[in-house]
Amino acid sequence: MDRLPLIAPRPPKLSLMAEALAEIEARGVYSNGGPVVRGFEAAATAQLFAGEGDCLAVGNATLGLMLAIRHAAGPRAGKGNFALIPGFTFAATAHAAEWAGLTPLLCDIDPEDWAASAAAEARAFEKYGDRIAAVVPYATFGAGIDLARYRDYAARGVGVVIDAAASLGARDAEGRQFGAGEPFAVVYSMHATKVFATAEGGLVHSGDAELIAAMRRMSNFGFAGGRSAEGPGFNAKLPEVLGLVARARLDEIEGVAAHRMRLDAVYRKALGGFAAEKGFEFQALRGSRPALQFQSLLLPRAFAGHRAAIIAMLGEQGIGAAHYFSPHLGEQPWFRAHGVSEPLPVCDDIGARVLSLPVTDAMSEADVERVCAALIDACAASGLKGLAGAERRGAHVHAALLVGGGPAGTALLTAASKSDALVRLAGAGLAVVERDAVLGRGEIGTYAITSDSTAETFLTAVKGNGHDGIAALEGHSAGQEVAMHVGKLGVPLARTTPFLEATGAELAAIVAGRGGIVATRSEVVEARRTADGVWAAQVINRVTGEVRVMRAAKLVIATGGYQTRANVEAEQVAGTALGALAGERLMTGDEFLRIGGLDALRERIAGKPAPKIAIIGGSTSALAAAALILKAAPALALGAEALALHHRRPLRPFYRSAEEAHADGFTDFSAQDICPVSGFVYRLAGFRLEARELVLRMLGVGGRAPDPRMALRRIGDRDDAATRGEIAGADVVIGALGYRPRALPLFDVDGSRIALAADATGRPRLVDQQCRVIDAEGRPVPGVFGIGLASGHVPDGKLGGEASFSGKANGLWLWQNDIGQMIVDQLLDTPAQAVA
């Protein structure tokens, strides 16, 4: 049976252009706007765009986007401004915006035509206003979009660039080439995989010939007649040889696009009937004809989680399939770290279900019918056979179910990966369920502070790892970015996300490749103990809403910690509930520490000539909040002791040895404060990195000068009335009072809710000293373990730690090593290892 590849390039053959190639050689002009390329531009303007405006041929469409976005941004490029881009598009669009000096600002799409949503764009303009220097909508999958909206934006002075990469050959409602005569730049691709297939190239069109002339100068290093740059530019020119291929394709494009449109009609007829039964869904097409690179549709929600299996089954039938653009931009590590994203629920839905099927020049209508039949069979098989079906019926029992694949969950997997334990776990039947689209990142990237773990600690997760793919991450761009902070006071948390995601992807590949299951965009909402002694977890797909049951012998809860306003308000400070003291002036520590929290603080104190800020708490988050305020740029207008830190316990710095502490002039410790395993002073209670430096300054250790803007206020050392009065007089009160463990609801065999220690008030523990989840009476819940922020394990014995420590130990190194290994040993029923 003939193979039907997803994409089968058929550009015009250079081997049939011997005479034209010889003419290029004879002229000796190979680039720099030679006669072949200029002839193609003129012919394209005449044949495709009815002679309106002008065209510029460029080396590829990404270069065209870079030129067009840079021109559209003008003097606003490189000044912290945005390019508004739909989240459901190719990475090249957002990359081009970055290269042009703008930050990608991602917005949601319309559920019908999968292009940028008018309502989402309007919300973005309302929120960001003039900071949006350019709007770059995408004509999704070669279809048209409503350009009237973008003409209105352009009339208001907003830069507009249309990403029409796949749309050369598409026709609008009037039967003209999509984008013809528009006042802004419309950028098309001529890549080998597109309908207008060459080897490589791009075409920029505008009805404004002067705009094209300006971009022509930019495409030639910003030269304007001479050899002196008079504006921004680089080399974006299309060479003469590729101009030959483009000119030949121009004569073929009408027939090629029409043929592909006929194939689209067959797809819609064969599969469209299932839509009435909540089956396959197709993109709503604007205009009279799209230029289809491939056929895109949405799987029924019930089958979205089995897309990989469906693609594999199609492959066994010789049919190529893929999922463009999934993951969407908002899920890709680079743009998570370097862009700004508004909520993208429609992108999430479309991205989770989209399936790309072949539409090629060589295909027949019978070939399309074959693809459709194979797709229906694959969907039926995925719904009725295999492990997925067993899980829905609750028959299969996993050895272990990891609930949460964020930083704590992947730290457990990392600990296992440092030996052969991860392979053994996966082979025994490990399942990982994570609510995000990927493993690893969790919510770390949403915080504006630096880590309290060193860059070296992050890198130990991969350095020398026995799994080659993990070890290679040390040299990955994300690993190199973390390594830039080696020897410094932590890593900006937003910059750790790509590394955590890359690590999560490698760990997921090992688990899935060795027989385990990784279910993303899914969430365990509860687990019930069954009569046969296993746990039945209810799992919901967060995109499709599908609910299934996954059974497991053991559970690991790695769902992190949380902070609620109600808990912070209820905290007793100087004999009074903090909520009653602070009222509307209260910000929770978690709220303040996230990206945007400092801006919210600025708004609260705007117009106050001598603002006063009170931070309540003595945790790492409290010191991180203070550091964020003190190093704010531009600086906040704080007078002497305008920032007060109210704390109950003494503030203790970490030292690597008693000798190091004494040499620095710090003597406030005893033998009870020294870890007997490592010799560290305040190994668990001591502040590290940026928080440590601030504590040392404020305590005046070693002759350091305290920051005059800040004051330390020890609750209990002064009259309660004085403390209450100072808090009452603050303009903003930040309640940095720690986190609670996020416990999974657990039910016993009789259906009754198991009361957990984590359900108690205040900041309770989730686990005991063996990382076993404990009930309200302190008894371990059989087969359930916990790890992560606020879980409450305190290292002791062979794990070390000072005897005087009475808090909760949170630390990436501990999770990736001692604590993680302790849980792994219990999951595998192996003797506990002696870990130092």
Side-chain angles (χ1 to χ4, degrees), residues 4-10 61 88-93 114 138-144 163-170 187-201 249 253 256-264 267-268 283 285 289-297 320-325 355-363 368:
L4 295 175
L6 177 62
I7 296 174
R10 289 183 62 179
F88 192 67
T89 186
F90 190 49
T93 316
W114 310 349
Y138 172 53
T140 311
F141 296 143
D163 178 1
S167 299
L168 204 50
V187 183
Y188 309 90
S189 175
M190 302 189 297
H191 190 269
T193 60
K194 297 296 189 290
V195 177
F196 197 104
T198 65
E200 182 66 277
R249 191 61 167 179
I253 186 61
V256 170
H259 167 70
R260 292 182 178 225
M261 185 62 180
R262 289 191 291 272
L263 300 182
D264 171 76
Y267 269 115
R268 290 174 184 263
Q283 177 187 11
L285 301 178
R289 184 184 74 195
L292 293 176
Q293 182 179 4
F294 39 74
Q295 180 65 56
S296 300
L297 53 79
H323 42 82
Y324 292 86
F325 301 108
L355 184 69
S356 311
L357 299 171
V359 174
T360 65
D361 296 353
M363 282 180 68
V368 174

Side-chain angles (χ1 to χ4, degrees), residues 646-701:
H646 298 264
H647 59 101
R648 291 190 178 93
R649 299 176 183 172
L651 303 179
R652 303 304 194 193
F654 164 83
Y655 283 96
R656 294 190 174 275
S657 68
E659 292 75 18
E660 181 184 70
H662 285 134
D664 197 32
F666 183 76
T667 59
D668 191 9
F669 62 93
S670 68
Q672 293 293 100
D673 305 315
I674 300 175
C675 170
V677 174
S678 65
F680 295 164
V681 178
Y682 294 121
R683 176 188 171 188
L684 302 178
F687 292 103
R688 301 182 183 230
L689 302 176
E690 191 172 50
R692 177 179 183 270
E693 290 303 306
L694 182 56
V695 167
L696 290 173
R697 287 185 64 189
M698 296 311 299
L699 295 179
V701 174

Side-chain angles (χ1 to χ4, degrees), residues 358-618:
V359 174
T360 65
D361 296 353
M363 282 180 68
S364 67
E365 295 182 10
D367 289 331
V368 174
E369 292 171 350
R370 173 186 155 195
V371 174
C372 294
L375 174 61
I376 293 168
D377 289 345
C379 286
S382 72
L384 298 174
K385 299 177 183 176
L387 183 58
E391 283 176 358
R392 277 196 293 277
R393 294 190 295 273
H396 182 82
V397 179
H398 300 282
L401 173 60
L402 176 57
V403 182
T410 51
L412 174 75
L413 300 179
T414 296
S417 76
K418 294 184 176 183
S419 63
D420 66 343
L422 183 58
V423 172
R424 287 190 287 141
L425 269 176
L430 172 66
V432 183
V433 177
E434 165 57 25
R435 68 198 311 272
D436 203 348
V438 296
L439 302 190
R441 68 189 176 200
E443 297 185 10
I444 276 184
T446 66
Y447 288 91
I449 56 176
T450 58
S451 65
D452 60 353
S453 296
T454 64
E456 292 89 331
T457 296
F458 280 95
L459 294 173
T460 57
V462 302
K463 190 171 185 177
N465 195 286
H467 297 276
D468 291 344
I470 297 178
L473 294 177
E474 187 178 6
H476 186 279
S477 60
Q480 292 175 344
E481 183 166 12
V482 171
M484 290 174 59
H485 300 276
V486 167
K488 298 181 180 178
L489 299 179
V491 188
L493 288 180
R495 296 303 190 195
T496 66
T497 298
F499 180 72
L500 294 172
E501 290 185 32
T503 307
E506 290 294 333
L507 292 166
I510 294 169
V511 172
R514 297 305 179 105
I517 284 180
V518 178
T520 56
R521 295 193 180 95
S522 298
E523 185 172 7
V524 179
V525 294
E526 65 174 46
R528 295 175 180 268
R529 188 157 49 194
T530 62
D532 54 356
V534 302
W535 290 94
Q538 184 176 340
V539 183
I540 184 169
N541 185 303
R542 300 184 71 239
V543 174
T544 68
E546 178 191 15
V547 178
R548 60 177 174 174
V549 172
M550 297 177 70
R551 287 160 54 88
K554 297 175 181 177
L555 304 177
V556 180
I557 300 174
T559 47
Y562 70 100
Q563 187 180 80
T564 67
R565 187 176 183 88
N567 287 332
V568 174
E569 288 176 338
E571 189 80 21
Q572 291 291 308
V573 177
T576 304
L578 182 58
L581 277 176
E584 293 302 313
R585 295 172 295 116
L586 178 66
M587 293 181 74
T588 67
D590 191 70
E591 173 191 2
F592 174 70
L593 294 175
R594 290 183 186 264
I595 293 172
L598 186 60
D599 291 334
L601 176 70
R602 288 184 189 278
E603 291 180 8
R604 285 173 175 255
I605 62 175
K608 298 183 183 297
K612 291 188 176 297
I613 302 167
I615 299 175
I616 315 299

